[in-house]
């Protein structure tokens, strides 16, 4: 048998196994896994290396048009599909799922068409879109969403905060009801909008406008309450729910409690909550704005609680929540060099650093094994968002999306080694062990020798199947 490409001599890890094997690839797919393979038109010697499924980053924001009033305050995202996907690939990720946002008054179908225009010809790796619903009108609920879900947009996100995005409980139930009918999976941004506004008003009245006040206005109970309410709404509607960017132990406990009641609740966290703290918002000269995201990073106790959640299986997925705003007048500081926290764009970059940070802090430090690393960073996202078994594993018939890692390589993260278009990284100066050296997407080498090897535009849009969270009707029964 001959192959287009053989990756030989490496240690292959999936979410289930770690084995010494060669991988044969033809026409962009994995066609053989065996102890020894020969006959590759091209071969890669992976001796001493780990051969892992390419990462899937299922929470990233790219080229997202901003609505006035979204905390971003008109700031422009620095990464579109080109630089975002290139940066992702250099970090060992081979699939991205960013967000197509429906702004108020806009048709969701029009938003999807616009987002396709933004992506086409740009991405270097494959991609799908989640749909953010900010205006669930009768036409959206009755016609547009059912049609889009049937066309393969099977994941939605709704917000419980941000002036331009927040939905009432009733509106969330309306979206959940459509998700139940059409078997879509809903992600929720769980923070209590009213409490945040009340606290922010009081902080402002006290003259507290510095970056740290951002975190003070969004304390952990705000997230805990919203998480509890979100899972209650999901219970009433009978849908599985993904609680995204969980920042500490309290909301994670809400997930545990919901699961103990038989609900299907999926938990996501991000490297910033494992590695940064609220104290980082105190950096001088407004530099604290560089780590301003929502929910905010918490404290070391929250970090430990999240690691416990990763270790005990409560956390299912780790994504970046890459929200690429530069530290300048187009991005974070659009409202001025001393902008009050309410006028600083929320979000931090992290597409390229997600996997090296999780590998180093998780696998190298002995908190998780390799299989769990693969599950958290790739396979679980593929299953949850309807991309499995095509993506997220190394198996016969799967797309040949593979990252070859040097598990010993030590790298100090500096913004000038990254490939995003953001002028900083919140992880500047952190040393990691383990780095993806060669990245293969559908059989094409896209990153090798520290350089991009493929053309932007080769990435393909993928429709999504029904989420694994719906298997066996795990949403439960609706209340009525
Ligand atoms: O601060 C954040 N997380 N910005 C990105 C948007 C979101 O809510 O995920
Ligand atoms: Zn969010
Ligand atoms: Zn996000």
């Amino acid at each position: 048998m001959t192959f287009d490409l053989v990756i030989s001599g490496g240690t292959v890890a999936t979410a289930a196994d770690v084995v010494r094997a060669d991988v044969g690839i033809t026409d962009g797919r994995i066609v053989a896994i065996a102890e020894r393979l020969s006959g590759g038109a091209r071969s890669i010697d992976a001796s001493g290396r780990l051969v892992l499924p390419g990462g899937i980053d299922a929470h990233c924001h790219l080229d997202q048009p901003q609505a006035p009033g979204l905390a971003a305050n008109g700031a422009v995202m620095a990464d579109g599909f080109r630089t975002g996907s290139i940066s992702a690939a250099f970090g060992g990720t081979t699939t991205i799922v960013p967000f197509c946002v429906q702004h108020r008054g806009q048709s969701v179908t029009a938003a999807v068409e616009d987002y396709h225009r933004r992506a086409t010809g740009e991405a270097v790796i494959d991609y799908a879109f989640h749909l953010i619903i900010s205006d669930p009108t009768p036409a959206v609920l009755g016609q547009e969403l059912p049609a889009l879900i049937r066309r393969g947009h099977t994941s939605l996100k709704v917000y419980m905060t941000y002036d331009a995005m927040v939905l009432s409980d009733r509106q969330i139930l309306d979206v959940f009801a459509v998700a139940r009918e059409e078997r879509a999976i809903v992600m929720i941004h769980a923070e209590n909008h009213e409490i945040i506004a009340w606290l922010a008003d009081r902080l402002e009245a006290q003259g507290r406008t510095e970056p740290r006040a951002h975190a003070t206005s969004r304390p952990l109970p705000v997230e805990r309450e919203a998480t509890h309410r979100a899972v209650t709404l999901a219970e009433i509607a009978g849908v599985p729910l993904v609680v995204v960017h969980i920042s500490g132990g309290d909301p994670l406990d809400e997930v545990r409690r919901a699961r103990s009641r038989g609900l299907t609740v999926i938990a996501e966290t991000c490297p910033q909550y494992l590695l940064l703290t609220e104290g980082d918002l105190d950096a001088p000269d407004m530099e604290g704005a560089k780590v301003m995201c929502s929910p905010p990073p918490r404290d070391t106790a929250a970090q430990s609680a999240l690691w416990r959640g990763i270790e005990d299986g409560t956390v299912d997925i780790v994504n970046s929540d890459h929200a690429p705003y530069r530290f300048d007048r187009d991005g974070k500081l659009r409202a001025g060099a001393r902008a009050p926290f309410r006028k600083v764009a929320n979000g931090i970059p992290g597409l390229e650093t997600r996997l090296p940070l999780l590998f180093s802090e998780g696998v190298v430090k002995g908190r998780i094994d390799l299989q769990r690393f693969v599950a958290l960073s790739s396979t679980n996202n593929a299953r949850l968002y309807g991309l499995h078994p095509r993506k997220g594993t190394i198996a016969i018939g799967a797309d040949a999306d593979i990252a070859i890692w040097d598990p010993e390589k030590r790298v100090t993260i500096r913004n000038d080694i990254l490939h995003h278009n953001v002028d900083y990284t919140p992880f500047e100066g952190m040393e990691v062990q383990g780095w993806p050296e060669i990245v293969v997407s559908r059989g094409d080498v896209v990153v090798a020798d520290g350089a991009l090897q493929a053309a932007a535009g080769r990435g393909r849009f993928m429709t999504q199947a029904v989420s694994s969270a719906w298997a066996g009707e795990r949403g439960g029964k609706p209340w009525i």
Side-chain angles (χ1 to χ4, degrees):
M1 195 167 179
T2 56
F3 306 98
D4 296 341
L5 173 66
V6 171
I7 300 172
S8 61
T11 298
V12 176
T14 64
D17 298 302
V18 180
V19 289
R20 228 290 309 132
D22 292 357
V23 181
I25 295 161
T26 293
D27 292 335
R29 293 190 172 226
I30 296 167
V31 294
I33 302 169
E35 223 172 323
R36 292 269 172 267
L37 291 172
S38 55
R42 187 172 178 189
S43 66
I44 296 173
D45 178 5
S47 313
R49 302 289 186 261
L50 298 174
V51 178
L52 309 183
I56 298 176
D57 198 327
H59 188 156
C60 53
H61 303 265
L62 296 175
D63 199 7
Q64 196 172 294
Q66 300 296 355
L70 184 59
N73 225 33
V76 180
M77 286 200 170
D79 285 315
F81 280 80
R82 184 176 297 239
T83 54
S85 68
I86 290 171
S87 180
F90 273 94
T93 289
T94 50
T95 299
I96 48 173
V97 193
F99 294 89
C100 166
V101 55
Q102 175 217 17
H103 289 309
R104 301 234 168 101
Q106 190 185 20
S107 124
V108 190
T109 318
V112 169
E113 282 161 9
D114 172 58
Y115 210 50
H116 272 296
R117 278 192 292 274
R118 291 167 187 264
T120 305
E122 297 291 314
V124 75
I125 53 174
D126 293 347
Y127 58 95
F129 306 155
H130 307 293
L131 307 181
I132 291 175
I133 307 302
S134 73
D135 198 3
T137 61
V140 167
L141 296 167
Q143 287 95 48
E144 287 200 84
L145 263 185
L148 285 162
I149 295 167
R150 283 175 210 165
R151 272 174 28 206
H153 292 283
T154 61
S155 52
L156 318 174
K157 183 178 179 188
V158 293
Y159 284 79
M160 300 172 94
T161 189
Y162 293 139
D163 289 338
M165 309 298 250
V166 59
L167 300 188
S168 68
D169 291 355
R170 191 188 180 104
Q171 288 175 310
I172 292 172
L173 283 168
D174 282 342
V175 174
F176 283 0
V178 176
R180 164 133 196 119
E181 198 60 32
E182 303 295 336
R183 298 204 303 161
I185 181 78
V186 187
M187 312 157 81
I188 197 146
H189 180 127
E191 289 185 293
N192 182 308
H193 191 57
E194 293 289 329
I195 302 178
I196 295 167
W198 188 82
L199 287 170
D201 285 347
R202 286 174 79 95
L203 285 160
E204 243 174 29
Q206 293 164 14
R208 293 274 318 276
T209 62
E210 79 287 356
R212 178 71 177 251
H214 169 77
T216 315
S217 73
R218 315 176 93 98
L220 200 57
V222 160
E223 192 183 340
R224 184 189 64 217
E225 183 281 331
T227 305
H228 179 82
R229 189 157 35 100
V231 296
T232 305
L233 298 173
E235 182 177 1
I236 296 294
V239 290
L241 183 68
V242 187
V243 184
V244 294
H245 44 47
I246 292 178
S247 71
D250 284 7
L252 215 50
D253 284 341
E254 294 298 333
V255 172
R256 289 189 180 99
R257 272 193 277 280
R259 287 183 187 168
S260 72
R261 296 196 297 275
L263 305 178
T264 302
V265 181
I266 293 97
E268 178 199 75
T269 193
C270 314
Q272 49 272 36
Y273 304 117
L274 298 168
L275 292 162
L276 303 178
T277 68
E278 192 181 323
D280 293 313
L281 286 156
D282 286 333
D285 302 324
M286 281 296 282
E287 297 251 339
K290 290 181 174 176
V291 295
M292 199 187 275
C293 56
S294 298
R298 307 290 182 189
D299 55 18
T300 52
Q303 292 176 354
S304 303
L306 291 171
W307 279 115
R308 269 198 304 282
I310 286 179
E311 286 158 22
D312 72 14
T314 309
V315 173
D316 301 288
I317 46 178
V318 177
N319 289 311
S320 69
D321 194 10
H322 181 83
Y325 299 107
R326 292 173 69 88
F327 190 61
D328 65 15
R329 290 303 289 253
D330 287 332
K332 292 272 182 189
L333 304 181
R334 193 166 176 90
R338 292 264 149 216
F341 73 90
R342 277 173 136 167
K343 293 205 155 88
V344 174
N346 282 205
I348 63 176
L351 264 171
E352 195 165 344
T353 46
R354 174 184 70 122
L355 295 179
L357 288 169
L358 183 64
F359 185 91
S360 189
E361 292 293 320
V363 180
V364 176
K365 293 206 171 155
R367 290 166 163 140
I368 52 173
D369 61 19
L370 211 42
Q371 296 97 312
R372 183 96 177 105
F373 171 78
V374 172
L376 288 163
S377 62
S378 182
T379 316
N380 290 353
N381 274 322
R383 290 184 196 282
L384 181 61
Y385 297 118
L387 300 171
H388 194 265
R390 186 174 158 197
K391 301 292 187 190
T393 192
I394 295 181
I396 305 293
D399 281 356
D401 286 6
I402 291 173
I404 301 172
W405 285 64
D406 178 349
E408 305 296 332
K409 185 168 175 172
R410 288 180 180 277
V411 175
T412 300
I413 295 176
R414 306 227 173 269
N415 198 54
D416 57 13
I417 65 165
L418 302 180
H419 299 82
H420 59 195
N421 189 35
V422 184
D423 53 359
Y424 77 94
T425 166
F427 307 107
E428 184 80 23
M430 286 188 193
E431 198 189 50
V432 292
Q433 182 186 325
W435 200 263
E437 280 187 326
I438 299 177
V439 179
V440 176
S441 162
R442 272 184 288 101
D444 296 337
V445 174
V446 292
V447 172
D449 304 320
L452 187 67
Q453 309 283 342
R458 66 163 295 286
R460 290 185 194 150
F461 171 72
M462 293 170 296
T463 55
Q464 299 161 253
V466 171
S467 168
S468 62
W470 276 109
E473 287 303 298
R474 284 175 55 216
K477 290 212 182 319
W479 217 251
I480 50 165

